Amino acid sequence: MKKTMTSWLALLLIGLCPALQAQKVYEAARFGLKADSKKNAAPLVQKMLDRIQAEVTPEEEVIIRFEEGQYEFHEKGAAVRTYYISNHDQTLPKKVGISLEGWKNLTLDGQGARFVFHGRMLPLSLLRSENCRLQNFSIDFATPHIAQVTVVENDPQKGITFEPAPWVNYRLTKDSIFETYGEGWTLQQGWGIAFDGTTRHVVYRTSDIACPTKGAVQVGERRILAPRWKDSRLLPGTVVAMRGWDRPAPGIFLSHNRQTVLENVQVHYAEGMGLLAQLCEDITLERFGVCLKGDDDPRYFTTQADATHFSGCKGKIVSCNGLYEGMMDDAINVHGTYLKVVRRVDDHTLIGRYMHDQSWGFEWGRPGDTVQFVRSKTMELAGSTNTIATIRPNGQEETDGAREFLITFTDSVDAAIQEHEKFGIENLTWTPEVVFSGNTIRNNRARGALFSTPKKTVVEDNLFDHTSGTAILLCGDCNGWYETGACRNVIIRKNRFVNALTNLFQFTNAVISIYPEIPDLQHQQQYFHGGKDGGIVIEENEFDMFDAPVLYAKSVDGLVFRRNVIKTNQEYKPFHPNRQRFWLERVTNVEIAE
């Protein structure tokens, strides 16, 4: 028996040896990347990645570990890349701090590392990779492009006197305009979001505020009087995040990856989204945060746009136990992109075009993908589903940078689909399942979470705390943003909603707003969302609110609202123009039981 056991153990060890030998661990410090050094990490990281990638095989598991501490990244020596990124400005090229391309079985472990960036950079990219994990680090910028200021005095006649935060580099231009600057950039921010200095909530009934600083004068040490800036809502002590509208790059960019995991990663600031993923399959975010650096962080804002954004992905998106706060848009947005039909070449061939100025230049579909067509005016399906036989850029060789695609379909395209009326093409293959669970979303502009996918979507056990606008939005728009599509299977349960709708933004008709953009609802014959009994289920949630509207729904077949608790508080004075608890427009197969 002893001999048999020994032989079995020997065989087991032999079996394990290849796996053990296949793992390679690299310490970043051995490549000159020392924590808390002022040295520019950008060129060192690129040299390290090039060397490691040349040494390993695709079958080997690779672990790159940083020491805990701070690492400074500057544009000089950084990787230079041409990336077309969904829902961002297509300004090229991008300066990338950590460029990961073509990896397999990679773990990047920061072990508590703080990656701090300077200038206008894309901090981290992961492209064309498989089974990769990013964990235990944070991303921040030394000098954010959003300028935080505090209102010191507010005189109805003289204007607003404000004080820039200590980290804000500023000057008054020759024509007396407040201007901020950093490494390689300058900005004159004209808009902003106002935060309560104590609670950090977005100030009640302010939404997007104008911040005119023309004629500004210095009136004291780091104190500026803006005589044209007059807004009685901005009491002394109010903190304003002054901003522009540019979105040059996200904090983390994922593209053409499979099986990606991000665990215990925080983005404290980015000039675009916190994380943008496009054309990826299976993404897991565990304890991912777009958040402040703690309760004592002097900043009030995080990202310029959404915290996380998933465009044209498939498989499963799982986002659990995260913290999303202070961002200038949604915590999560999941959608595809409609191409507008701009020409019918023949019965099997169409030319489709990206329409929005921040969404073009990247791959849209592949042969074998299933598509459907939608009439923009009524957002109704047209013809039947079809399959892509061939697809190529129209008018150029490369997909990168393309605005139009020449698409041939296996079956004949319905004769009604012509360029003379607006039609969109939706790629059904690149649509994901979504699990959004255990997250906290608070103190942000616009909306809490936005979902536009026909696959199963579960939103549960989240806290939506002062999201400012609508907490959850189910949209679909083939007229403006061109973001697909209809939601067929959505479960919203066991969430807590606290004082949403302190401000009005787009699509903010109720705490939960099912609001497809339909120009001609009157002549719509089909329904956009749902499609079966109980297609959208809202149950066992708690609504703690100061105002009336709980649920708005438009063009839905199959809506259930049951076993929810609605509480009323007096934190703010009711003001919403929608005075109905439940406002339903063109909804059928509906069950409402509080």
Side-chain angles (χ1 to χ4, degrees):
M1 180 69 179
K2 185 176 180 181
K3 184 176 180 181
T4 303
M5 181 64 73
T6 303
S7 301
W8 182 84
L9 287 171
L11 288 171
L12 179 62
L13 288 171
I14 290 170
L16 287 175
C17 279
L20 293 173
Q21 292 171 351
Q23 185 183 89
K24 288 189 174 181
V25 179
Y26 292 87
E27 304 292 343
R30 293 182 59 187
F31 295 85
L33 286 155
K34 303 293 185 181
D36 302 314
S37 167
K38 298 298 183 182
K39 197 170 184 179
N40 181 11
L44 297 176
V45 165
Q46 202 55 46
K47 288 178 183 178
M48 174 184 71
L49 294 174
D50 290 343
R51 178 175 163 185
I52 293 172
Q53 203 161 27
E55 291 180 4
V56 301
T57 64
E59 293 73 28
E60 292 177 309
E61 180 183 349
V62 180
I63 301 174
I64 301 175
R65 293 196 297 226
F66 286 78
E67 295 175 345
E68 183 179 2
Q70 187 157 306
Y71 300 81
E72 308 287 340
F73 290 79
H74 298 262
E75 290 186 19
K76 185 177 181 181
V80 180
R81 296 289 186 266
T82 298
Y83 293 152
Y84 290 88
I85 304 177
S86 181
N87 293 80
H88 282 76
D89 301 324
Q90 309 302 14
T91 51
L92 298 171
K94 312 288 188 188
K95 303 290 182 65
V96 187
I98 303 173
S99 176
L100 303 169
E101 299 180 356
W103 289 86
K104 193 173 182 180
N105 305 318
L106 168 69
T107 296
L108 180 69
D109 189 351
Q111 300 192 116
R114 301 182 302 277
F115 299 138
V116 177
F117 297 82
H118 300 258
R120 271 189 161 147
M121 299 184 70
L122 195 172
L124 187 150
S125 64
L126 177 69
L127 282 79
R128 301 182 299 280
S129 299
E130 184 175 347
N131 192 32
C132 291
R133 173 182 288 267
L134 309 174
Q135 63 188 33
N136 304 324
F137 61 85
S138 66
I139 286 172
D140 199 5
F141 278 72
T143 308
H145 313 86
I146 292 175
Q148 180 172 305
V149 306
T150 300
V151 176
V152 178
E153 296 178 23
N154 189 338
D155 187 296
Q157 283 74 44
K158 294 181 180 178
I160 288 177
T161 301
F162 63 90
E163 180 178 315
W167 63 84
V168 176
N169 299 320
Y170 76 91
R171 59 192 167 220
L172 299 182
T173 65
K174 291 181 179 179
D175 49 353
S176 300
I177 295 175
F178 177 74
E179 179 178 80
T180 63
Y181 61 92
E183 191 174 302
W185 63 269
T186 60
L187 274 176
Q188 295 177 7
Q189 298 91 344
W191 298 90
I193 288 291
F195 294 93
D196 184 285
T198 303
T199 65
R200 296 181 184 262
H201 303 330
V202 177
V203 175
Y204 168 73
R205 299 194 69 177
T206 51
S207 302
D208 292 313
I209 61 171
C211 305
T213 63
K214 177 74 172 177
V217 293
Q218 192 89 27
V219 293
E221 182 68 22
R222 293 188 69 83
R223 290 199 174 189
I224 299 116
L225 170 63
R228 298 188 183 184
W229 188 4
K230 296 178 180 179
D231 191 331
S232 61
R233 301 167 298 178
L234 307 183
L235 303 177
T238 300
V239 175
V240 179
M242 298 173 65
R243 56 193 288 259
W245 296 105
D246 295 338
R247 299 179 181 181
I252 297 172
F253 175 47
L254 309 178
S255 185
H256 293 82
N257 303 313
R258 297 180 62 205
Q259 288 87 46
T260 305
V261 176
L262 288 89
E263 183 174 4
N264 190 30
V265 173
Q266 293 82 42
V267 177
H268 299 308
Y269 173 75
E271 202 181 0
M273 313 287 185
L275 175 145
L276 187 288
Q278 64 189 34
L279 296 155
C280 292
E281 182 176 355
D282 295 325
I283 301 173
T284 298
L285 306 183
E286 174 60 41
R287 291 182 292 132
F288 184 83
V290 173
C291 56
L292 304 174
K293 288 171 280 190
D295 293 339
D296 59 348
D297 190 341
R299 286 191 204 161
Y300 282 62
F301 62 88
T302 53
T303 54
Q304 169 76 323
D306 297 352
T308 65
H309 199 107
F310 302 86
S311 175
C313 293
K314 67 178 180 177
K316 197 167 189 177
I317 294 170
V318 179
S319 177
C320 295
N321 306 311
L323 172 59
Y324 303 103
E325 61 182 345
M327 59 279 182
M328 299 294 120
D329 233 315
D330 319 321
I332 182 172
N333 187 345
V334 181
H335 67 88
T337 304
Y338 290 111
L339 295 182
K340 180 182 177 182
V341 176
V342 295
R343 184 182 168 197
R344 184 184 179 103
V345 178
D346 56 45
D347 287 348
H348 284 262
T349 309
L350 301 174
I351 295 176
R353 179 178 174 84
Y354 281 123
M355 296 303 296
H356 197 276
D357 283 342
Q358 290 179 324
S359 289
W360 59 276
F362 47 89
E363 185 182 18
W364 182 83
R366 298 172 183 173
D369 288 353
T370 300
V371 304
Q372 65 184 11
F373 305 93
V374 64
R375 179 176 276 105
S376 299
K377 192 175 181 180
T378 58
M379 294 298 286
E380 294 174 291
L381 296 180
S384 57
T385 58
N386 213 323
T387 304
I388 296 176
T390 64
I391 179 170
R392 62 177 175 83
N394 186 46
Q396 64 181 68
E397 294 297 321
E398 299 296 326
T399 296
D400 285 353
R403 282 187 178 268
E404 294 184 353
F405 294 92
L406 182 70
I407 309 172
T408 300
F409 300 94
T410 56
D411 299 326
S412 179
V413 178
D414 190 279
I417 300 172
Q418 304 274 351
E419 64 265 30
H420 310 300
E421 184 182 348
K422 286 176 65 176
F423 287 92
I425 315 172
E426 177 180 3
N427 191 324
L428 292 174
T429 297
W430 290 89
T431 56
E433 292 185 38
V434 182
V435 175
F436 188 70
S437 176
N439 302 291
T440 296
I441 305 95
R442 65 189 184 195
N443 302 336
N444 65 292
R445 173 189 177 275
R447 293 159 296 268
L450 197 164
F451 304 99
S452 299
T453 175
K455 302 287 176 61
K456 185 175 182 179
T457 300
V458 178
V459 186
E460 63 181 349
D461 295 316
N462 301 290
L463 171 62
F464 294 86
D465 183 5
H466 290 79
T467 52
S468 182
T470 285
I472 296 177
L473 171 64
L474 308 182
C475 196
D477 176 10
C478 194
N479 295 278
W481 284 97
Y482 284 83
E483 293 182 359
T484 64
C487 295
R488 305 295 183 201
N489 185 357
V490 179
I491 300 172
I492 300 171
R493 66 186 173 207
K494 297 182 179 179
N495 303 283
R496 185 165 182 248
F497 302 94
V498 180
N499 285 340
L501 298 175
T502 55
N503 287 280
L504 296 181
F505 296 95
Q506 189 180 24
F507 310 120
T508 53
N509 278 2
V511 175
I512 296 176
S513 189
I514 305 171
Y515 196 146
E517 191 67 59
I518 305 172
D520 187 7
L521 184 65
Q522 180 181 356
H523 291 99
Q524 188 191 62
Q525 300 298 311
Q526 304 169 15
Y527 295 87
F528 185 73
H529 286 299
K532 65 186 182 78
D533 290 346
I536 300 173
V537 177
I538 304 165
E539 62 183 4
E540 300 176 31
N541 303 282
E542 179 182 311
F543 297 84
D544 190 350
M545 50 195 297
F546 69 96
D547 215 332
V550 171
L551 173 64
Y552 170 78
K554 176 167 61 176
S555 188
V556 181
D557 180 4
L559 173 63
V560 176
F561 184 97
R562 64 191 175 201
R563 298 192 297 275
N564 297 286
V565 176
I566 300 173
K567 299 178 180 179
T568 303
N569 63 60
Q570 281 76 48
E571 185 171 347
Y572 305 98
K573 184 178 178 180
F575 78 98
H576 201 287
N578 175 17
R579 306 312 306 158
Q580 304 177 57
R581 276 275 188 255
F582 306 100
W583 179 10
L584 309 180
E585 291 190 276
R586 219 172 170 274
V587 175
T588 190
N589 293 323
V590 58
E591 173 194 339
I592 294 181
E594 293 186 34

